[in-house]
Amino acid sequence: MDFVLAGGTLIDGTGRDPVENAAVHIKNGRIEWVGKLSDLPSAAKQAQEKDVSGKWLLPGIIDAHIHVCWNGEESIFELLERDRDMIVLEATAIVKRILEVGTTTVRDIGGHDYVEMALRRAINAGFIPGPRMKTSGKVIAMTGGHAHFIAREADGPEEVRKAAREQIKAGADTVKLMATGGSATPGQDIHASQLTLEEMAAAVQAAHSMGRTVAAHAHGKGGIKNGLLAGLDSIEHGTYLDEETADLMLERGAALVMTLAVANPDLSGELSPTQKADVERRKPNFAKAQENGRNLIALAREKGIFIGCGTDAGGNPLAVHRFSMAREIQLMVEYGMPPLEALKIATCNNARVLRWENEIGSVETGKYADIQRPIGRY
Ligand SMILES: [Zn+2]
């Protein structure tokens, strides 16, 4: 395969301005050369030319926080009553849909009974279509902690260390910890801290020594602080980041993986009874979502924190796997992020969160030719 995508407008994912009348030379699935069509090297002129004028090209979108085993339309309690085969079969349809809407890579940050690991093997083997995947296996929560119904519950540093090693043994690239309560678990306070600093530090030590990363779900600032002091690599959600925790995050070099649509879901279209009930239950949180989102983006940008983003699709009954990264990017822009920066976060930055920055995330020489047309990929 040796061809040139010629004449499109390229957004390369690095945050640079769009290049009009661009050319991307692709050879054996990798980007050989990229630039202005008028500067195309003579070596590329033998390659087959595909005219993409009038179209936009951008790197495959990366979702750094997703749950592919759940459909995001029913509650996880309802889904857990299904037999495992139905969960697997629906998840097979979910990963196909994720790819079809332009997300070519995901990080599953809370799976179900290692179904996501099997899906990844099936995708990599070519049995089913789906995105490239990084996975965390089961989330690790304190006994009764956030998402305990799908978690590996663990208490005390030794047990949390063992829980982390179990996920790595099963194939986890990242270990997911629950540092605070969460709204998808009824009756929890999202400000309340859960796993302790010592417990999280044990997981960090276990994961880093095996070359894996650690991510923590954290809304309240106590949990954010504990996670950062424990040395983890990313804070997921980070809803109530403040001056002190933002400074600490910068100092520790951790990433903030925002999930804006969780608190501001798309409520257009018909809602099921389960979804309506969830809207009622979570309404007080929705009301402040825009203000929180704006504050979070302003603070993170002002401090120069490294930002990633994800949809949390599948994480609750209002987080459907349907153009969900488009909504995430749209909300970033609505909350004050310049558009090219929002696209950089959803591509280049997320590649770094996934530790895949040498292969994907931007349209640059040497990387995979993971380039979007309106739908699908080359
Ligand atoms: Zn989540």
Side-chain angles (χ1 to χ4, degrees):
M1 285 285 270
D2 186 8
F3 59 95
V4 173
L5 298 175
T9 303
L10 172 70
I11 294 176
D12 70 5
T14 64
R16 283 193 284 262
D17 285 339
V19 178
E20 285 178 14
N21 220 357
V24 186
H25 179 204
I26 294 165
K27 207 171 175 179
N28 301 325
R30 296 259 179 189
I31 297 163
E32 188 82 2
W33 185 89
V34 54
K36 278 275 202 195
L37 181 57
S38 54
D39 299 333
L40 190 68
S42 53
K45 290 191 175 134
Q46 280 87 31
Q48 188 202 348
E49 193 173 299
K50 295 190 184 192
D51 181 18
V52 292
S53 48
K55 297 195 162 63
W56 293 81
L57 299 173
L58 69 156
I61 299 294
I62 301 171
D63 189 338
H65 185 130
I66 198 168
H67 306 278
V68 302
C69 297
W70 312 116
N71 62 27
E73 295 169 58
E74 293 163 86
S75 81
I76 291 178
F77 302 105
E78 286 170 309
L79 293 166
L80 280 170
E81 282 172 20
R82 282 199 188 160
D83 67 66
R84 194 173 188 275
D85 292 349
M86 280 304 287
I87 291 175
V88 173
L89 288 165
E90 185 171 30
T92 305
I94 289 170
V95 289
K96 179 167 181 268
R97 198 182 324 154
I98 290 168
L99 186 60
E100 283 171 351
V101 298
T103 298
T104 58
T105 307
V106 302
R107 183 173 66 151
D108 187 282
I109 199 87
H112 173 60
D113 204 16
Y114 308 119
V115 165
E116 70 291 349
M117 305 280 188
L119 285 171
R120 171 167 65 178
R121 285 198 296 278
I123 292 166
N124 292 348
F127 299 164
I128 57 168
R132 282 184 200 87
M133 285 176 68
K134 294 258 178 170
T135 57
S136 75
K138 293 182 186 179
V139 300
I140 300 172
M142 68 177 199
T143 296
H146 177 43
H148 58 85
F149 33 87
I150 55 162
R152 160 66 158 96
E153 292 177 295
D155 302 293
E158 287 316 307
E159 209 183 328
V160 172
R161 188 193 317 276
K162 188 171 173 62
R165 287 178 175 157
E166 285 168 3
Q167 307 321 307
I168 294 167
K169 183 181 176 188
D173 307 286
T174 192
V175 169
K176 168 77 179 296
L177 306 173
M178 295 307 193
T180 70
S183 57
T185 306
Q188 291 210 342
D189 177 0
I190 63 171
H191 292 279
S193 301
Q194 295 198 347
L195 287 174
T196 66
L197 166 55
E198 292 74 20
E199 287 170 327
M200 288 195 274
V204 168
Q205 190 272 333
H208 284 178
S209 69
M210 300 280 283
R212 294 342 194 253
T213 55
V214 184
H217 158 105
H219 290 296
K221 58 188 179 186
I224 296 174
K225 190 172 175 180
N226 286 343
L228 293 170
L229 290 173
L232 50 70
D233 303 281
S234 66
I235 292 286
E236 311 292 311
H237 317 298
T239 315
Y240 294 101
L241 191 78
D242 64 356
E243 285 277 337
E244 186 199 357
T245 44
D247 285 336
L248 186 62
M249 188 176 275
L250 189 65
E251 186 193 309
R252 296 282 165 141
L256 170 67
V257 177
M258 301 190 303
T259 58
L260 301 172
V262 173
N264 191 353
D266 180 2
L267 300 176
S268 61
E270 188 117 348
L271 297 179
S272 69
T274 301
Q275 290 175 317
K276 281 182 189 153
D278 217 49
V279 170
E280 280 310 308
R281 186 173 71 81
R282 293 169 53 204
K283 238 181 201 163
N285 299 350
F286 294 160
K288 282 205 76 187
Q290 295 207 6
E291 194 189 327
N292 279 347
R294 282 180 192 281
N295 291 345
L296 185 62
I297 285 178
L299 180 61
R301 290 185 77 230
E302 181 204 316
K303 298 285 181 186
I305 284 171
F306 187 83
I307 304 172
C309 72
T311 59
D312 211 358
N316 69 69
L318 297 169
V320 185
H321 295 273
R322 187 180 54 220
F323 301 109
S324 38
M325 276 301 284
R327 178 160 183 87
E328 208 58 41
I329 294 165
Q330 176 198 342
L331 287 178
M332 275 195 270
V333 174
E334 272 178 23
Y335 294 168
M337 184 80 79
L340 283 171
E341 203 174 315
L343 283 171
K344 175 176 179 281
I345 287 169
T347 55
C348 210
N349 286 20
N350 277 352
R352 200 169 117 194
V353 171
L354 272 63
R355 302 293 190 262
W356 251 338
E357 67 272 29
N358 295 327
E359 304 283 16
I360 55 170
S362 60
V363 182
E364 291 181 290
T365 302
K367 291 196 177 181
Y368 286 139
D370 184 353
I371 301 167
Q372 293 299 314
R373 289 181 294 169
I375 283 180
R377 62 174 167 168
Y378 290 95

